[in-house]
Structure formats: C-alpha cells, structure tokens
Amino acid sequence: MTSATNRVAIVTGGSGGIGRASALRLATDGIAVVVHYNSNRTRADETVRTITEGGGRAIAVGGDIADETQATALFDAAERDFGGVDVLVHTAGIMPLAPIAELDLDVFDRVQRVNVRGTLVVDKLAAQRLRAGGAIINFSSSVTRLQPPTYGAYAASKGAVEAITLVLARELSGRNITVNAIAPGPTATPLFLHGKSPELIEQIANSNPFGRLGTPEDIAEAVAFLAGPGRWVNGQTVFVNGGAA
C-alpha cells in the first residue's frame, strides 16, 4: 500500500456536494485528487483551487463517466500527472423523481445509464488500473431501505450499484483492493434539496435521532475512512445516515 502522501484518488462528481467535500477531505490526508466534473467546470476548478491553495495536489478533468473513452481519460490523467491511481470515489449520479405510474421511460433509461452504466464503467477501469492497497468506493443510497415514494428509478439504480460493488469485491480477491458502497441518508446537497419545500425538508430531517440532515462533510468522513485506514471493511454497503429508519 502506497503511503498517504503518494496516494492518488479520482473523485467522480467532484464538483458536486458530496464529491467536493470528499475531494477536500482526502486532500487533507495528503492524497492527490483528480476532480471529475461533467458540466460544472467552474465548480470543479474552485475545488482544485481550494486544494492547491492549501498546499495539496489536484487537477480537474471533465467527461461523461458512462462513456468508456471519456472515463478512461480520468485514469490517464491521474497516471500522467500523479503517477498512478489508488482510490476511486464514485459519487457522480442523477436523481430525477416521479411516481412509478407516471415515470417517463426515457428518464428511467437516463438514470440507469448514468447511475448503473456509469458505475460499471469506472469500476471496470478501476479494477484494471488501481494499485495494490487501493480502494473503490461506490455510492448507493439509503433509499434502497427507506423506500420513499417517487424514488423508484433512483432506488432501482442504487440497488444495482450495491450488486456491482459486492460482486467486484469478490472478483478482486488477492489484489489487496477493497470495494465498498456508501449509502448516505438525506444529505443537504443541491441534488437532494432541489424541488423540496421547507416543510418537507424539516419532516425528513426529523426522521433520524439527530433531527437534522446529514452534511456532505459527514459523508466525506466515511469516504476518508474507507480510502485509508478501513482495510478490513470490504464487500459492504455502509449506511451513513444518522440512524434514519
């Protein structure tokens, strides 16, 4: 396992809430970070600037993670600029909501393309290119257990992410690479807050014993653990939701 100061992480969705917090948190451990973005280059550049101004190492790389050629460019950039890849943190995803009876199948297909195919593409590349001692951290969601209405397409995609994660952990036997999924609960990110009334947000926040939404930084702490010292956690879906029932 490479030392923390020589480790390199790719964070997909690194311009978003949990992705950005994860990139910043990993950088505090001395890990070089490739900050991936799809459309928000400005936000990704801000994340890189925050890391580098703090003495860390980071670059921004754009692309569609469900496109194997564009996703490959992430790994190429990590190897070119930092010498290799040790950690994949795959936070990128989309979450359009609708009751199943009203669900547009084109929207369903888009969710599966980004969330399921995207996971399979980056996990495939990570399985080929991560160094020994590495970690693959996918993102599921607590909605797979909480089953809230309107989340059918999203929950289906995250159930698939969990299956991919557990199978890959076993396929990488002997490689000294851990593969886990983090399943956040309701977290105060733009993706989660969009379209929700203050009353609904308060109701959701009160569904866990802490009486608040999670923060991206709460989730980033779990990422840092699995990316670093959590070597005996493997093939698991880790629920990081404050005890939401």
Side-chain angles (χ1 to χ4, degrees):
M1 181 172 172
T2 52
S3 67
T5 55
N6 293 320
R7 284 168 75 77
V8 179
I10 293 172
V11 180
T12 71
S15 61
I18 291 174
R20 173 181 166 82
S22 297
L24 295 174
R25 178 63 181 82
L26 293 176
T28 66
D29 286 339
I31 299 174
V33 184
V34 177
V35 179
H36 161 265
Y37 65 94
N38 184 23
S39 58
N40 198 339
R41 174 64 187 263
T42 299
R43 185 70 167 165
D45 285 342
E46 290 173 357
T47 303
V48 168
R49 184 164 55 251
T50 300
I51 291 171
T52 56
E53 287 178 351
R57 299 168 295 154
I59 58 171
V61 180
D64 174 2
I65 48 90
D67 181 295
E68 189 169 11
T69 300
Q70 294 184 45
T72 298
L74 284 172
F75 289 81
D76 291 343
E79 292 180 356
R80 179 184 64 246
D81 284 39
F82 300 129
V85 188
D86 302 284
V87 179
L88 169 68
V89 181
H90 179 46
T91 77
I94 60 173
M95 191 177 66
L97 304 179
I100 290 173
E102 303 169 12
L103 184 60
D104 184 324
L105 291 181
D106 287 339
V107 172
F108 177 83
D109 289 344
R110 184 161 60 90
V111 172
Q112 308 316 308
R113 181 184 185 277
V114 175
N115 294 358
V116 181
R117 178 188 167 95
T119 298
L120 190 64
V121 167
V122 295
D123 278 12
K124 174 184 176 180
L125 292 166
Q128 295 170 350
R129 301 176 70 165
L130 254 62
R131 295 184 287 209
I136 296 171
I137 305 165
N138 292 323
F139 266 74
S140 178
S141 169
S142 289
V143 301
T144 60
R145 303 296 186 270
L146 302 175
Q147 300 106 26
T150 75
Y151 282 80
Y154 183 71
S157 74
K158 293 306 183 178
V161 168
E162 291 185 18
I164 291 168
T165 300
L166 304 185
V167 170
L168 184 58
R170 285 147 183 80
E171 290 181 345
L172 295 184
S173 175
R175 293 272 306 279
N176 192 22
I177 294 173
T178 61
V179 188
N180 294 287
I182 289 176
T187 305
T189 66
L191 182 68
F192 173 79
L193 297 173
H194 177 72
K196 292 182 175 68
S197 68
E199 294 77 16
L200 178 58
I201 292 170
E202 182 178 4
Q203 177 185 340
I204 294 170
N206 288 326
S207 67
N208 70 71
F210 291 95
R212 67 171 177 85
L213 296 178
T215 67
E217 290 72 25
D218 290 327
I219 312 305
E221 288 299 328
V223 169
F225 173 71
L226 293 176
R231 300 304 303 168
W232 197 234
V233 182
N234 188 35
Q236 304 298 316
T237 298
V238 181
F239 287 80
V240 185
N241 60 21

